[in-house]
Amino acid sequence: VGCDRSKNLVDICGEKHFQAFVCDALSVPIRSGSCDACISIAVIHHFSTAERRLATIRELARLLRPGGTALIYVWAMEQEYKNLKSKYIKEKNGSKNKEKEMNTGTAQKPLNDQGPDNSSQDSAWSNQLLNDFKDESCGAKPVADFRLPVHTNRTSFHSQDLLVPWHLKGCTKKKKESVDTVVVPGGSKELQELSPVFHRYYHVFCEGELEAVCRSLDCVRVQKSYYDQGNWCVILEKL
């Protein structure tokens, strides 16, 4: 059985005849100790405080029976690890546009692409206050005025707490203010209309951080901790 905060994604699961329901990862409506295994992929890095991230892992452990296991994946601060770049920041072979995009920080994105991408606001600061700003670990730079930076897609991270632009796929633009514009590279004043952009909060984890959070819980033990293509991963066992 699956669960997600997004009703639309859960509806898609239902259309494909999978069992799924809407819920919050901080409060899952499943009886304690009733799961043989749990999987949490790309969820915990969306919680904005250390307390909530810990509470989410504690809730995951609550669901497990004794001896049950959980697999957790979160986005890593280190997108280049042991001299190898992750798939996320690898450039496409011979792509000049990708190189220009990374150098200029401007958007080069097809309108029908869906997923995290860069936007006209890549070099701007959001107005959202940072609730859980960490020190300068992992080489992260302090955020000016305690505001969150907007990440430029397919580049290395410079802050652990940031916003990642998400371009909505195939959305009909009814209002002028619902779309973003970006200046075309080369100094042109021509403006290009983009699909609506939403900014998703991420806390990217440093090496050892996820494992340390898991080890702070006395109800589980860490079976394995490893790096996988730009993600930090932990396998837990319920005691």
Side-chain angles (χ1 to χ4, degrees), residues 12-105:
I12 292 172
C13 290
E15 293 168 3
K16 296 179 180 292
H17 307 292
F18 294 119
Q19 298 184 76
F21 59 90
V22 176
C23 81
D24 191 310
L26 289 168
S27 181
V28 181
I30 293 180
R31 188 177 68 251
S32 298
S34 60
C35 298
D36 295 315
C38 295
I39 299 175
S40 174
I41 305 293
V43 174
I44 295 174
H45 56 215
H46 288 300
F47 286 90
S48 62
T49 68
E51 291 77 14
R52 288 179 177 179
R53 293 189 286 271
L54 175 61
T56 306
I57 297 174
R58 183 183 289 113
E59 178 71 354
L60 199 66
R62 179 189 67 80
L63 304 176
L64 293 172
R65 62 165 176 78
T69 55
L71 172 64
I72 301 173
Y73 265 60
V74 294
W75 216 353
M77 179 80 176
E78 301 85 355
Q79 289 299 307
E80 185 170 346
Y81 186 68
K82 294 184 177 179
N83 297 321
L84 293 176
K85 291 183 179 181
S86 70
K87 291 180 181 178
Y88 176 70
I89 62 172
K90 277 184 178 177
E91 295 180 23
K92 294 180 180 179
N93 293 332
S95 174
K96 293 183 179 179
N97 286 337
K98 180 63 65 178
E99 183 178 355
K100 179 181 290 186
E101 174 184 324
M102 294 178 69
N103 290 336
T104 63

Side-chain angles (χ1 to χ4, degrees), residues 67-70 215 220-225 234-238:
T69 55
R215 290 189 186 280
V220 298
R221 74 176 182 91
V222 176
Q223 281 189 344
K224 186 179 181 182
S225 178
V234 164
I235 298 176
L236 301 176
E237 180 183 2
K238 178 71 172 289

Side-chain angles (χ1 to χ4, degrees), residues 38-223:
C38 295
I39 299 175
S40 174
I41 305 293
V43 174
I44 295 174
H45 56 215
H46 288 300
F47 286 90
S48 62
T49 68
E51 291 77 14
R52 288 179 177 179
R53 293 189 286 271
L54 175 61
T56 306
I57 297 174
R58 183 183 289 113
E59 178 71 354
L60 199 66
R62 179 189 67 80
L63 304 176
L64 293 172
R65 62 165 176 78
T69 55
L71 172 64
I72 301 173
Y73 265 60
V74 294
W75 216 353
M77 179 80 176
E78 301 85 355
Q79 289 299 307
E80 185 170 346
Y81 186 68
K82 294 184 177 179
N83 297 321
L84 293 176
K85 291 183 179 181
S86 70
K87 291 180 181 178
Y88 176 70
I89 62 172
K90 277 184 178 177
E91 295 180 23
K92 294 180 180 179
N93 293 332
S95 174
K96 293 183 179 179
N97 286 337
K98 180 63 65 178
E99 183 178 355
K100 179 181 290 186
E101 174 184 324
M102 294 178 69
N103 290 336
T104 63
T106 53
Q108 302 282 339
K109 167 189 179 301
L111 292 179
N112 61 353
D113 277 4
Q114 181 175 358
D117 210 325
N118 41 325
S119 72
S120 59
Q121 297 177 329
D122 283 336
S123 60
W125 298 101
S126 76
N127 289 322
Q128 179 179 340
L129 292 178
L130 178 59
N131 295 321
D132 184 40
F133 183 69
K134 302 230 176 237
D135 58 11
E136 298 180 46
S137 54
C138 302
K141 297 178 180 179
V143 179
D145 300 326
F146 298 99
R147 290 181 288 180
L148 293 176
V150 178
H151 178 61
T152 299
N153 192 43
R154 305 295 173 185
T155 64
S156 298
F157 296 115
H158 301 293
S159 172
Q160 277 193 270
D161 297 273
L162 66 159
L163 299 176
V164 177
W166 181 274
H167 291 256
L168 189 63
K169 179 180 179 180
C171 181
T172 303
K173 308 171 194 59
K174 295 181 179 180
K175 296 182 180 180
K176 182 178 180 181
E177 50 273 9
S178 67
V179 300
D180 275 1
T181 57
V182 60
V183 177
V184 176
S188 170
K189 294 182 180 179
E190 180 184 357
L191 294 179
Q192 176 183 351
E193 191 177 72
L194 298 179
S195 53
V197 178
F198 299 90
H199 292 90
R200 307 175 72 195
Y201 171 84
Y202 282 81
H203 171 84
V204 291
F205 282 69
C206 289
E207 181 174 9
E209 183 181 352
L210 176 61
E211 182 177 353
V213 174
C214 293
R215 290 189 186 280
S216 70
L217 297 174
D218 56 10
C219 58
V220 298
R221 74 176 182 91
V222 176
Q223 281 189 344

